[in-house]
Amino acid sequence: MGAHRIAVITGDGVGKEVTAAGLAVLDAVQGVSPGLALDVETFPWGSDYYRAHGRMMPEDGLDTSRGFDALYFGAVGDAEVPDHVTLWGLRLAICQGFDQYANVRPARVLAGIDSPLRAARPGDLDLVIVRENSEGEYAGAGGRAHRGFAGEVGGETTAFTRAGCERIMRFAFDLARERPRRRLTLVTKSNAQRHGMVLWDEVFAEIARAGDGARDIARRRAVDRARAGLHRYGVRNSARFAAWRGQDYHHGRAEREEGAGIRRHRLRPGLRPDRHRRSRRRITRTSSGWPPLPGGMNRRRRRPPNGGPCAMKRGTWWSAAVLAWFLLWAPPASAQKDAWERYMTAGAESYEAGEYGAAEVQYGAAVKAAEKAGRAGGDLAISLNNLALVMHRKGNLDAAERLYERSLAVTESALGADHPQVASTLTNLAWVAIDRGDHRQAEELHLRALAIRKAALGPAHPTVAASLTELAAVYTAEEDYAKAEQVLKDAVTIREEALEPDNPNLGESLSKLGAVYSAQGRFDEAEALFERTLTIIENSLGAEHPAMSRVLYRLADVMHRTGRDTEAAEAESRAGAIEAAAGLEPGSLRP
């Protein structure tokens, strides 16, 4: 896992809102992922920057971004700035500057969220759209002549190269091989675009014939037929589907995706999407004005009247989850997966499935592949860290400690002793020390990690709060409740200022502070914190989330100790029911 630097470009309009929601997701992932540290830096690039400086981003924007592991982009588009300026000045400038040729768009119906698709339930619709991102219409070839005269000419040329077609096709085939159905559909318009798109089709056919099972997963569809395939889910036209599906990651306005997202049509507020037909007549306003919005969304602001998350924000949570997946497990750089990347992906899948023996084998192979490829820096350190995590989970503390120490040496050599990834490895070593019962060493390691994070990320960064919360666990184990209380109060203060009020990580710190109060006999204060934590978990994760059980057991303990046995039994019964619903043994989550 390790440390990752993320550049956040909120952009325009709803982008500022949805990136904030996405960062809350990443912070939650960070809170439950030992060894993961996210260093987030926000850049004010977009239309406001354009109005102030005449550019969408600084001249050295690409150089500034180059040192980050990922760019988290919000949206771009402003009514006062021409669309071609906003797109080519920021989003496409970044894509082409970094040769980000694959536009990957997962689409699925998530459990617990009402879908705008009439007949689609969770599990029915699960596809990934892969689109060329640097050639075709995005090549930027063309120009204008005789401006201002009656004979003014504007020429736009789509451009396809064999090398560009091959790399996006191979990327898509590799992705399809990993998915359960192993099905890849080519969406083409070669009946009308008889040069570039025909080359596109030919390259697809060549790769499909090349072997390695590619022929078995390949099929070809025209744009209109691909679009028609969505009708089975109730999408009589894709405008109704896309109008409320959430914000596209780079456009500031709602857009329609037909089939695989090749053609677009903007929808203006107040116009009925379902009046659109293939004839592309102008959409007409209905006598009733606004179309019905899903989930009781307010028509003017597109937000539920009760202040809950809107569709766009929930869509962004999914986008942030995808980003987190790539940061944790996905191939870190190249679309051409080498041996190291394949082993890391397989190891992550085995670990998540609880198959620790298989994960050990895969991560061990990843370590050897990194050494063989000469990857003496981050890749080798990540491999060692993950292998150590597996050994720790299996109870082999000696092996875990040796691997963490080796990872620490590799990280310090490659990145420096003050890099946040060093802090992550120190934290992992501290947990090994705690399991050994060596609380003094654990405290020293946590304090070193805390100092590195404060220096590198700032004293108010959420990862500093994470370090404080982990340090409190050492003090609590030593029954030094005064120190535990102080560091947990500091953690709560940081998370209250940096996070949303219902962030689960804030609930974690509050719950642990309540446990300290309970151990000190301060039952009223402890109960108040447990009740607040339960509210946070219920609002953020749901009333049936297993995290509720841990807090309910702590609350029940307070009730027992204050002579309220009936209430305590009710809290324990509720905790057990939540565990059973999650497939766990009742009492297994009792602290």
Side-chain angles (χ1 to χ4, degrees):
M1 297 182 187
H4 301 275
R5 299 186 65 212
I6 303 176
V8 179
I9 305 172
T10 59
D12 305 327
V14 73
K16 299 175 182 178
E17 177 184 350
V18 297
T19 49
L23 288 173
V25 173
L26 293 180
D27 190 71
V29 171
Q30 183 177 215
V32 298
S33 303
L36 175 65
L38 302 180
D39 178 8
V40 177
E41 184 173 352
T42 301
F43 295 94
W45 303 340
S47 296
D48 289 340
Y49 189 93
Y50 177 84
R51 279 186 278 268
H53 302 280
R55 303 176 56 90
M56 293 295 292
M57 67 176 180
E59 290 187 19
D60 62 350
L62 289 179
D63 292 334
T64 302
S65 307
R66 202 176 303 277
F68 290 84
D69 298 303
L71 305 183
Y72 187 21
F73 202 102
V76 63
D78 190 290
E80 299 177 359
V81 182
D83 284 347
H84 69 279
V85 172
T86 58
L87 184 62
W88 283 93
L90 187 57
R91 209 278 288 176
L92 289 183
I94 292 172
C95 290
Q96 296 196 346
F98 291 125
D99 197 23
Q100 296 174 336
Y101 63 88
N103 186 326
V104 184
R105 301 185 180 187
R108 60 165 36 163
V109 179
L110 301 178
I113 297 179
D114 293 335
S115 168
L117 306 185
R118 183 185 61 198
R121 299 180 303 274
D124 288 345
L125 182 64
D126 184 0
L127 55 88
V128 179
I129 298 166
V130 179
R131 195 197 69 196
E132 169 56 53
N133 210 37
S134 59
E135 292 191 352
E137 292 82 358
Y138 291 126
R144 293 174 64 179
H146 313 300
R147 290 175 180 263
F149 293 95
E152 184 173 354
V153 176
E156 201 78 38
T157 303
T158 61
F160 293 89
T161 66
R162 174 169 287 276
C165 292
E166 284 185 355
R167 67 179 183 177
I168 190 68
M169 298 293 182
R170 294 189 187 282
F171 178 91
F173 271 107
D174 287 345
L175 180 61
R177 289 188 184 96
E178 296 177 355
R179 293 180 56 77
R181 292 189 63 196
R182 291 175 56 84
R183 174 64 59 84
L184 178 64
T185 301
L186 172 71
V187 180
T188 181
K189 196 63 180 174
S190 53
N191 58 348
Q193 300 178 24
R194 56 182 181 156
H195 302 299
M197 292 303 294
V198 170
L199 173 62
W200 176 267
D201 293 356
E202 289 173 353
V203 172
F204 180 84
E206 290 170 7
I207 295 176
R209 289 193 299 267
D212 195 19
R215 181 190 295 272
D216 298 332
I217 66 176
R219 66 177 180 176
R220 178 177 174 274
R221 292 287 185 269
V223 169
D224 294 335
R225 185 174 180 188
R227 175 189 174 189
L230 291 176
H231 284 209
R232 60 184 289 208
Y233 297 109
V235 191
R236 298 234 175 144
N237 56 72
S238 51
R240 173 178 287 277
F241 164 59
W244 311 119
R245 70 171 178 78
Q247 197 71 11
D248 180 74
Y249 81 97
H250 66 268
H251 286 288
R253 302 172 183 173
E255 66 169 44
R256 179 179 67 124
E257 292 201 13
E258 295 191 354
I262 290 181
R263 300 187 302 191
R264 292 197 178 95
H265 177 76
R266 289 202 181 98
L267 292 164
R268 291 184 285 180
L271 303 182
R272 285 283 297 265
D274 58 331
R275 287 293 181 90
H276 183 73
R277 296 289 183 264
R278 279 187 58 188
S279 60
R280 290 190 177 271
R281 294 195 302 255
R282 177 175 293 277
I283 304 172
T284 56
R285 187 185 299 270
T286 67
S287 59
S288 60
W290 288 86
L293 304 185
M297 291 170 61
N298 182 284
R299 290 189 171 103
R300 186 174 298 277
R301 294 184 54 126
R302 296 186 181 181
R303 179 180 292 279
N306 62 2
C310 64
M312 291 180 180
K313 183 174 285 189
R314 287 188 288 188
T316 302
W317 294 347
W318 169 236
S319 300
V322 172
L323 175 59
W325 185 92
F326 273 98
L327 288 174
L328 288 169
W329 298 303
S334 173
Q336 301 294 331
K337 292 185 177 180
D338 62 8
W340 179 84
E341 292 161 344
R342 289 196 301 272
Y343 291 136
M344 290 294 289
T345 301
E349 292 171 352
S350 299
Y351 184 85
E352 285 300 301
E355 300 171 354
Y356 301 126
E360 178 185 353
V361 172
Q362 297 292 347
Y363 284 140
V367 170
K368 292 180 180 178
E371 293 171 334
K372 185 176 180 180
R375 296 181 172 185
D379 290 349
L380 178 56
I382 292 171
S383 306
L384 291 165
N385 252 316
N386 287 13
L387 181 56
L389 183 63
V390 172
M391 303 309 292
H392 193 176
R393 181 60 64 93
K394 293 177 67 175
N396 191 338
L397 299 183
D398 290 337
E401 186 174 31
R402 287 195 301 271
L403 290 165
Y404 281 135
E405 288 176 346
R406 184 181 170 197
S407 174
L408 183 64
V410 170
T411 304
E412 288 179 334
S413 175
L415 303 177
D418 56 352
H419 194 276
Q421 188 166 327
V422 172
S424 299
T425 308
L426 289 170
T427 300
N428 291 336
L429 271 170
W431 286 114
V432 174
I434 289 175
D435 286 347
R436 289 186 184 280
D438 191 345
H439 296 148
R440 184 60 57 193
Q441 183 187 14
E443 179 184 5
E444 293 174 356
L445 291 167
H446 277 313
L447 287 172
R448 283 178 61 190
L450 178 64
I452 291 172
R453 284 173 171 166
K454 281 184 175 180
L457 307 175
H461 195 274
T463 56
V464 172
S467 286
L468 290 169
T469 304
E470 291 158 352
L471 180 60
V474 178
Y475 294 143
T476 301
E478 294 178 333
E479 298 185 358
D480 190 344
Y481 297 121
K483 286 185 178 180
E485 177 184 355
Q486 185 57 56
V487 296
L488 283 170
K489 283 183 175 179
D490 292 342
V492 168
T493 299
I494 293 172
R495 283 176 164 168
E496 283 180 331
E497 293 177 355
L499 306 176
E500 295 292 327
D502 288 337
N503 189 286
N505 289 333
L506 173 58
E508 176 198 19
S509 297
L510 290 169
S511 177
K512 291 183 177 180
L513 181 57
V516 170
Y517 286 160
S518 178
Q520 293 174 312
R522 298 157 63 179
F523 299 124
D524 289 342
E525 295 172 271
E527 184 171 353
L529 290 178
F530 292 146
E531 294 286 0
R532 183 181 170 190
T533 303
L534 289 172
T535 300
I536 289 174
I537 296 173
E538 186 170 350
N539 291 340
S540 59
L541 302 176
E544 302 302 319
H545 194 278
M548 293 281 289
S549 295
R550 294 188 178 92
V551 185
L552 284 167
Y553 282 127
R554 283 175 171 160
L555 180 59
D557 181 65
V558 170
M559 292 173 174
H560 277 304
R561 296 172 71 179
T562 53
R564 294 143 60 196
D565 293 336
T566 301
E567 294 178 63
E570 292 176 355
E572 290 175 335
S573 176
R574 183 183 172 194
I578 293 173
E579 290 170 320
L584 303 172
E585 288 291 329
S588 60
L589 296 180
R590 186 187 295 271

